[in-house]
Amino acid sequence: METFGLSIKAKVNGTWQNAHKVHVKNNGWQQVRTVHNKVNGTWQKTYEYEYVYTLASGAHGSIDLDDYALDKFHNVRFIVPSNAQVVATNTSTPAIKTGTGYGGKLIIENHGKIYGRGGSGGDGGDSNSSTAYDGDNGIDGGNAILLECDLTVENSGTVLGGGGGGGGGGGAHDYDSSSGDEYAGGGGGGGGAPFGFGGNKGSGSGVQATTGGFGDFENSSAGGTGGFDDEGSAFSNGNAEGGDGGAGGAVGQAGSSGSTAVQGTTRRSGGAGGVAGQAYYNPNGFTLTQV
């Protein structure tokens, strides 16, 4: 076996071939991660084996690298190809968990798309014959990659947290002693990208509010419209009109707040939009190297 530049080759049947897993005899054969040779008086790395796993093309839900049969004795390179998308299954679970127990480095080479899940839109505020209620806040988007070890990322694709859900619109109530009260619900907040659920419409009378839009794969989704209850009396002109729900955030973006109710003696506030998830969630302070 001889060294050739930054590789090690062995002659097999008269032909030099790259050595993929090098062993040395030291009280028995032992596998090595790296080999250094002294060149002109200086030690230089001439061999470092790397185990490579390429994810299949297409759409994937949340994945945990501990579930894969990776050779963790060596450096591990996990490749997400350009025609693959990894989208978290919910906002509580990241798109990729790095796993633990690596003897060498973990490298994620991303050419595709790694997205946290979009947050759900907040429900629109209800209204009834006696009062009205604020819209609910949108749900925060989920995280893309959870670090459970030191990580190197070589990224030519996209790594983003899920978009936040839009806030629900505020409900409205109009008191009228002569001809009866009017009440209208707020519109539901739009779901964050990717695939966040739209918020429910708020209850009311008259023209009903609408639910928020389902989250797009990458783009913002619209919030629902507020309801409207017309006075319909010649003796009074008081109407109730709920606020519109806020738009769900595009991938990596916060959701918008819901609107305050437009008409009525009681006009409730819209909910706040959810914040976007993190591209790299690193609660335990592991080393993240981005190349």
Side-chain angles (χ1 to χ4, degrees), residues 121-223:
D123 292 343
D126 291 329
S127 182
N128 54 42
S129 58
S130 59
T131 191
Y133 299 90
D134 293 340
D136 291 340
N137 295 336
I139 303 300
D140 296 343
N143 302 313
I145 297 178
L146 169 63
L147 275 74
E148 299 173 301
C149 64
D150 294 342
L151 174 65
T152 297
V153 178
E154 298 177 3
N155 183 36
S156 63
T158 310
V159 181
L160 290 170
H173 175 263
D174 187 73
Y175 171 75
D176 192 328
S177 61
S178 62
S179 59
D181 295 354
E182 292 75 47
Y183 39 101
F195 312 141
F197 292 104
N200 295 317
K201 65 183 181 181
S203 61
S205 62
V207 178
Q208 294 295 301
T210 61
T211 59
F214 185 73
D216 184 77
F217 177 55
E218 293 180 310
N219 300 313
S220 176
S221 64

Side-chain angles (χ1 to χ4, degrees), residues 42-242:
T42 302
W43 286 103
Q44 298 184 14
K45 185 187 294 183
T46 54
Y47 166 85
E48 185 172 25
Y49 179 73
E50 183 175 80
Y51 178 84
V52 178
Y53 184 95
T54 301
L55 189 67
S57 62
H60 301 264
S62 293
I63 60 178
D64 186 340
L65 298 193
D66 277 345
D67 295 335
Y68 291 77
L70 306 177
D71 183 357
K72 294 183 177 181
F73 179 85
H74 297 283
N75 292 343
V76 173
R77 179 177 294 270
F78 188 87
I79 299 175
V80 179
S82 60
N83 54 359
Q85 308 90 40
V86 185
V87 177
T89 53
N90 55 61
T91 56
S92 299
T93 305
I96 294 180
K97 294 174 66 176
T98 63
T100 60
Y102 296 90
K105 295 187 298 183
L106 172 62
I107 303 161
I108 293 179
E109 179 184 329
N110 177 49
H111 305 281
K113 296 178 179 181
I114 304 172
Y115 292 158
R117 191 78 174 196
S120 297
D123 292 343
D126 291 329
S127 182
N128 54 42
S129 58
S130 59
T131 191
Y133 299 90
D134 293 340
D136 291 340
N137 295 336
I139 303 300
D140 296 343
N143 302 313
I145 297 178
L146 169 63
L147 275 74
E148 299 173 301
C149 64
D150 294 342
L151 174 65
T152 297
V153 178
E154 298 177 3
N155 183 36
S156 63
T158 310
V159 181
L160 290 170
H173 175 263
D174 187 73
Y175 171 75
D176 192 328
S177 61
S178 62
S179 59
D181 295 354
E182 292 75 47
Y183 39 101
F195 312 141
F197 292 104
N200 295 317
K201 65 183 181 181
S203 61
S205 62
V207 178
Q208 294 295 301
T210 61
T211 59
F214 185 73
D216 184 77
F217 177 55
E218 293 180 310
N219 300 313
S220 176
S221 64
T225 56
F228 179 78
D229 192 10
D230 188 358
E231 164 63 34
S233 170
F235 301 101
S236 177
N237 61 359
N239 301 320
E241 183 176 357

